[in-house]
Amino acid sequence: MAALGVPLPLLLGWTHGYCPFGAPLLDGTDPVGALAALLAAPRALGLPPRLYWPNAPADGPLMDLLAACTPRRAAYWPHTRGLLDLTAHAPEARNAYLDHLSGPRRRKLRRARALLEADGPVLFEILEAPADLEAALDSYVGLEAAGWKGRAGTGLGQRPEEAAFLRAALADLGAVGAVRVVRLRRGERTLAAAIVPVTGAEAWVLKIAHDEAQPEAAPGVQLVHRLTEAVLSGAWGIDRIDSCAPPDFALGSTFWTERRPIAHLLIEAGRDPLFPVARRLERARESVARARLTSRTGRSAPAAPASPPRPAP
């Protein structure tokens, strides 16, 4: 970390574009002991006694564990993202989950669905079999290539190494039933698709794309709507779906009423006399980054970027 010209080393949690959740993986049989060992490791290895975890959960079990281990910590770039969480809803109340949608919103959804099905019935699928996943990924790559990502040169079809990584990940996860591809399909044509890894009873929207040829039919919106209905009905036995969405991205939050607080966390790992300095420097760097975003976009920048701002050279 370097802020205001003062370098101060820290250990950065591993994250990337396919990992928008910065919680460390801890032994489930002894999470307190595992976290204590993680916090003790930097000192034992002669490394900086401070950790930085991008895109970490800002509440819940991890924060409870941190409080039990009593390290000092600070949060930066806090924001929330859309989350479907049925654990607080009784089974008999799940049928009313989407009642928050307004009348105009419901009418718009019905019109869009009718438009999408004007050329033939549209099938909603949750694919799990490894052979189906491989074919679905090919369709997904084509869907991206035909849309704005293809025009911008950022689609998977234009990034062979990234496509190969995702193909290998789907093969490995599919072999143990830990990923799904959800999609809308008319005949052999994929209209919208999402790649959704699964951990226990929780799913994560890793990537999503839709056919842009008929924007008024909103196939991406309809995919999330149909996915929500499937989970509410019990057709897919999970309790939560994390949208993994960037700040201000409305697709998941349109249907999902829960929110997951996210922040970049600076954590003291053992006794660190310089932790107060690191905390102030990171706060200063956050303020400078916010000011730069505001001046560039012409509006305030209350939400976090997908990854921590890079230190100035």
Side-chain angles (χ1 to χ4, degrees):
M1 171 173 58
L4 304 180
V6 180
L8 192 63
L10 51 76
L11 298 174
L12 182 66
W14 181 81
T15 186
H16 59 90
Y18 287 100
C19 180
F21 194 59
L25 297 177
L26 302 174
D27 183 352
T29 62
D30 183 17
V32 174
L35 181 59
L38 176 62
L39 295 175
R43 178 76 65 182
L45 297 172
L47 298 172
R50 60 201 70 93
L51 308 175
Y52 197 82
W53 292 344
N55 296 315
D59 69 358
L62 177 62
M63 295 302 287
D64 294 340
L65 288 172
L66 283 170
C69 291
T70 65
R72 289 179 288 184
R73 60 189 184 274
Y76 306 90
W77 294 95
H79 65 289
T80 61
R81 63 194 190 200
L83 178 74
L84 171 65
D85 188 352
L86 299 182
T87 57
H89 299 268
E92 60 273 15
R94 296 184 180 186
N95 290 335
Y97 183 87
L98 290 173
D99 285 356
H100 66 91
L101 295 175
S102 66
R105 168 65 70 180
R106 292 174 184 274
R107 289 191 292 273
K108 188 174 182 179
L109 287 169
R110 287 195 294 269
R111 286 195 299 269
R113 183 165 180 167
L115 280 172
L116 199 66
E117 295 185 338
D119 294 328
V122 173
L123 179 66
F124 171 74
E125 300 176 306
I126 302 177
L127 304 176
E128 179 180 4
D132 292 338
L133 293 174
E134 183 176 1
L137 180 59
D138 291 337
S139 297
Y140 182 93
V141 172
L143 200 60
E144 278 198 351
W148 70 267
K149 291 182 181 180
R151 295 189 295 274
T154 61
L156 283 171
Q158 293 135 309
R159 298 183 172 186
E161 292 183 356
E162 193 171 316
F165 166 80
L166 191 55
R167 192 174 300 279
L170 258 65
D172 290 344
L173 293 172
V176 293
V179 68
R180 307 288 189 276
V181 172
V182 298
R183 69 179 181 184
L184 293 179
R185 177 173 59 84
R186 185 196 303 119
E188 296 302 314
R189 181 176 180 178
T190 298
L191 303 171
I195 299 170
V196 187
V198 183
T199 54
E202 184 160 4
W204 310 77
V205 181
L206 180 65
K207 289 183 73 66
I208 187 168
H210 65 274
D211 189 332
E212 299 175 18
Q214 197 177 9
E216 62 274 16
V221 174
Q222 292 193 52
L223 176 67
V224 177
H225 188 200
R226 298 277 288 273
L227 172 60
T228 305
E229 291 178 328
V231 174
L232 293 174
S233 71
W236 184 9
I238 58 173
D239 294 325
R240 290 182 300 277
I241 306 178
D242 190 325
S243 68
C244 299
D248 303 322
F249 190 74
L251 187 56
S253 57
T254 297
F255 299 103
W256 303 341
T257 56
E258 293 77 31
R259 300 292 178 265
R260 171 162 274 163
I262 296 291
H264 302 327
L265 298 181
L266 177 66
I267 300 163
E268 181 182 32
R271 184 176 177 277
D272 179 16
L274 294 178
F275 186 80
V277 177
R279 184 168 51 196
R280 288 193 294 270
L281 287 173
E282 186 60 22
R283 188 68 67 197
R285 187 156 70 94
E286 178 193 32
S287 299
V288 170
R290 285 180 181 274
R292 288 176 175 172
L293 283 173
T294 300
S295 64
R296 186 168 67 243
T297 62
R299 61 185 180 89
S300 61
S307 57
R310 293 183 180 276

